[in-house]
Amino acid sequence: MKTGKSLAVWTVTAALLAAAVGCGKGEEQQPPAAAATTGKPETPVTLNMMIAQHSAWPYKQDWPIYKYIKEKTNIDFKVQVPSSDYTTALNLAVSSGDMPDLMIVPSLNVANTNGKSGAFVNFFDHLDKMPNYKKFLEEHPDIKEIVLSPDGKSYYLPHYGLEQQSRRSWLLRDDIFKKHGLTPPATWDEMYTTAKKLKELYPSSYPVVIYDGLTPLTNIAPAFNTWFGNYIDFDKNEWRYGPIEDSFKEMLIVLNKFYKDGLIPPDFMAMKRNQFNDLLAQNKGFMASDYIGAMDEIPVIIKKTPEEFSLDYMVPPKGGPNGKPYNAYGGYLTNGFSVASNSKNKDAALRYLDFLYSPEGIDMATWGKEGETYTVENGKRKFKPEFAGMGDLRTKTGIATYGAHTVVDMKAYEPMNTEKLNKALVQIQQGNEAKLQPRLAFTDAENEVMNLTNTAIKKYMDEQVSKFILGQKKFDEWDAYVAEIKKMGIQKVIDTHKAAYDRAQQFVKKK
């Protein structure tokens, strides 16, 4: 697995968006160009919208971002935020036929499944009403590849920009490391030695903090030259299943060693973000796998000053003899927008979404409103001082939250970031990420394989992998575990991924 073109994507992204909205760091204030569909109609419209929310910045009805949107578009929103599982709530709305006008969907696959059934609008049928989105696709062919259904339609509108701060990475308490003269580990063997030293210094600590079940394995596996699931080895152009590879076994052996020696939290499987934050805040955690933007956001959330608490980027430690200093790059956010095909306000919904792809819409979704969220001094824009950082801005205003944006210009937020975070956002793309895995669109027959065979395999795999880490299963049982995965039909799942990938490549070439 090799590092891909993520640095180039970052550079092009910044350049394109800065040019579009004229609001980059240190640039002169430029009014965004008017777009064909952003004219404010005289008749107001209210759209019903279902959104997912982030636990760090839960939806607030009085967020000013929606006031700014109405000022620009004359569109109001009745926002639904399901209190239960979001996917379940979305499925219930679709199956009942009583759908909101537009909604956040959790994945391309969900959008394609409901689009084929007729529940969602095919955006390609309405590009004449969406000139800004059409232009966006023309300027971003990489985006065009990830919005397609198996038959070349599109029921899904992507988010763009926020993936930069959502990159998975390793972080460390650099203040604690400096205090004790510790060096960031370059390998998992070195991380073990460092963690043992920290355990001696802080006996009640768990120096390496992972949480939320097996989710961290997604970011740990690439360092061991494998993957937590199905993946393509780009060097060999070969699809494989990581959890049955010897390198994956090596990773589990290492994690089991950390677990037995009390170097990772005993309840990491059940631990959630608040508990994770508490461990770091209480000097009980010092190296952690999390998203890169957390290095700025966690100190604000736990209300610690830089003198009291500091996080910095850590190059991912290499695992095993064939390890690489890699994080997993997840690419663009999986959540996107869909529009209900039976909406009585379809044109207004399309107009709103197209506005969000216009220069004016990107500008508003990124910055908010002059005098309220930002000021202009000597021709340069900057966010008002009451916003401690991007996370605080999102919490207080709704800027860059689901439902209120599609594209944001990440360069606008650089002055709000610490110097460490801005440096890390560049460094992580210079040899610290595995190449982005394809996002595939499956046919009905392929979905059947994924929903039945793959789901059963994943359930079994998760159970067994957990047992290996927790020491409830011995590693001399590994071969039997691999044999069972093969018996359950993993080759059929691998072949399904290959077929979907090959089809997508042919379709893109035709385009």
Side-chain angles (χ1 to χ4, degrees):
M1 297 186 290
K2 293 183 178 179
T3 303
K5 55 184 180 181
S6 49
L7 178 59
V9 171
W10 167 256
T11 304
V12 172
T13 298
L16 284 170
L17 293 179
V21 301
C23 58
K25 181 179 179 182
E27 295 176 358
E28 292 186 358
Q29 170 82 355
Q30 297 289 339
T37 60
T38 58
K40 180 178 175 180
E42 293 183 4
T43 305
V45 179
T46 297
L47 295 177
N48 291 308
M49 179 169 66
M50 181 186 290
I51 64 168
Q53 64 178 348
H54 196 289
S55 59
W57 31 86
Y59 169 77
K60 297 176 183 175
Q61 191 172 358
D62 61 351
W63 268 343
I65 187 64
Y66 288 103
K67 180 184 70 172
Y68 309 152
I69 291 171
K70 185 177 181 180
E71 290 171 355
K72 295 287 187 180
T73 66
N74 216 3
I75 294 175
D76 261 325
F77 294 90
K78 289 184 179 178
V79 178
Q80 304 171 33
V81 184
S83 56
S84 58
D85 177 72
Y86 186 82
T87 301
T88 300
L90 179 66
N91 289 340
L92 287 173
V94 172
S95 61
S96 71
D98 186 19
M99 290 180 286
D101 299 300
L102 67 164
M103 62 216 86
I104 295 293
V105 290
S107 69
L108 173 65
N109 190 48
V110 169
N112 286 341
T113 299
N114 291 308
K116 185 174 182 181
S117 73
F120 293 167
V121 163
N122 173 18
F123 292 110
F124 286 175
D125 288 341
H126 300 278
L127 291 181
D128 59 324
K129 300 176 183 177
M130 305 180 74
N132 294 296
Y133 179 56
K134 182 180 180 181
K135 183 178 180 182
F136 180 81
L137 288 179
E138 291 169 352
E139 294 175 346
H140 299 80
D142 54 323
I143 286 288
K144 199 167 187 178
E145 292 180 24
I146 67 167
V147 301
L148 296 173
S149 68
D151 55 356
K153 297 179 180 179
S154 179
Y155 310 101
Y156 168 99
L157 292 187
H159 290 95
Y160 188 89
L162 281 179
E163 71 278 354
Q164 300 301 334
Q165 284 201 355
S166 296
R167 296 178 123 92
R168 303 300 298 187
S169 67
W170 279 93
L171 309 176
L172 59 77
R173 284 285 306 275
D174 58 312
D175 53 339
I176 297 294
F177 271 63
K178 291 173 184 175
K179 178 179 178 180
H180 299 291
L182 299 174
T183 301
T187 67
W188 273 80
D189 286 342
E190 290 180 12
M191 185 151 69
Y192 179 80
T193 301
T194 303
K196 291 285 283 185
K197 176 65 175 177
L198 286 164
K199 186 76 171 179
E200 293 173 6
L201 294 167
Y202 301 87
S204 63
S205 73
Y206 302 101
V208 179
V209 189
I210 57 176
Y211 72 103
D212 195 20
L214 298 176
T215 303
L217 300 193
T218 299
N219 197 50
I220 296 173
F224 285 81
N225 202 28
T226 184
W227 203 260
F228 187 40
N230 295 279
Y231 75 105
I232 184 171
D233 182 329
F234 289 101
D235 291 339
K236 298 180 180 179
N237 194 31
E238 177 182 86
W239 279 91
R240 299 211 294 263
Y241 188 62
I244 60 174
E245 296 179 329
D246 288 344
S247 49
F248 198 91
K249 178 184 178 182
E250 291 172 359
M251 176 182 70
L252 298 185
I253 290 172
V254 169
L255 291 174
N256 170 251
K257 182 180 179 181
F258 275 67
Y259 180 81
K260 284 191 302 183
D261 289 358
L263 303 180
I264 59 178
D267 58 345
F268 76 91
M269 292 288 292
M271 184 181 292
K272 299 301 180 185
R273 172 156 295 281
N274 287 343
Q275 297 161 291
F276 168 78
N277 290 347
D278 288 344
L279 279 181
L280 295 177
Q282 296 165 9
N283 290 346
K284 293 183 178 180
F286 312 104
M287 294 173 279
S289 176
D290 202 9
Y291 65 96
I292 198 166
M295 63 193 297
D296 274 12
E297 291 169 5
I298 289 177
V300 175
I301 292 170
I302 64 176
K303 299 179 180 178
K304 296 280 189 179
T305 67
E307 292 73 28
E308 297 173 307
F309 181 95
S310 180
L311 290 170
D312 201 355
Y313 175 71
M314 183 173 88
V315 173
K318 294 184 288 186
N322 300 310
K324 306 289 179 74
Y326 284 172
N327 292 295
Y329 177 44
Y332 303 110
L333 303 184
T334 56
N335 287 353
F337 267 111
S338 291
V339 170
S341 60
N342 64 357
S343 169
K344 294 179 181 179
N345 295 306
K346 192 183 302 178
D347 285 348
L350 295 173
R351 177 168 61 83
Y352 169 60
L353 294 174
D354 190 62
F355 167 74
L356 293 180
Y357 286 99
S358 71
E360 184 181 12
I362 295 170
D363 183 80
M364 182 215 63
T366 300
W367 285 93
K369 183 177 180 180
E370 183 178 354
E372 295 192 20
T373 57
Y374 70 91
T375 58
V376 181
E377 298 178 12
N378 299 320
K380 298 177 183 178
R381 284 196 266 196
K382 65 178 182 179
F383 288 103
K384 296 180 76 173
E386 56 259 42
F387 303 120
M390 186 179 176
D392 193 43
L393 177 74
R394 297 167 89 176
T395 302
K396 292 176 178 176
T397 68
I399 287 174
T401 59
Y402 287 128
H405 82 285
T406 54
V407 180
V408 291
D409 174 14
M410 295 304 292
K411 281 189 72 66
Y413 306 119
E414 285 183 4
M416 302 180 79
N417 298 340
T418 61
E419 184 179 344
K420 288 189 295 185
L421 176 56
N422 286 331
K423 180 180 177 182
L425 285 168
V426 174
Q427 184 178 358
I428 196 173
Q429 299 171 73
Q430 297 178 336
N432 288 165
E433 288 180 321
K435 188 174 179 178
L436 177 64
Q437 288 291 309
R439 192 174 296 178
L440 303 177
F442 296 111
T443 64
D444 287 347
E446 290 165 349
N447 271 323
E448 186 173 352
V449 173
M450 297 301 294
N451 292 335
L452 297 177
T453 306
N454 188 64
T455 298
I457 289 173
K458 186 178 186 310
K459 183 175 183 294
Y460 174 77
M461 180 272 293
D462 283 348
E463 292 171 350
Q464 303 308 307
V465 165
S466 299
K467 290 179 179 179
F468 281 123
I469 294 173
L470 300 176
Q472 299 170 357
K473 199 174 186 70
K474 297 180 179 179
F475 284 98
D476 58 12
E477 299 177 75
W478 178 262
D479 290 345
Y481 153 78
V482 172
E484 183 62 23
I485 294 282
K486 291 180 178 179
K487 182 180 176 182
M488 294 177 74
I490 191 58
Q491 189 57 52
K492 188 175 183 180
V493 175
I494 294 172
D495 292 343
T496 297
H497 281 78
K498 183 179 185 303
Y501 177 72
D502 290 346
R503 179 178 59 248
Q505 294 305 299
Q506 289 301 315
F507 186 85
V508 170
K509 287 177 182 178
K510 289 180 182 178
K511 287 293 192 183

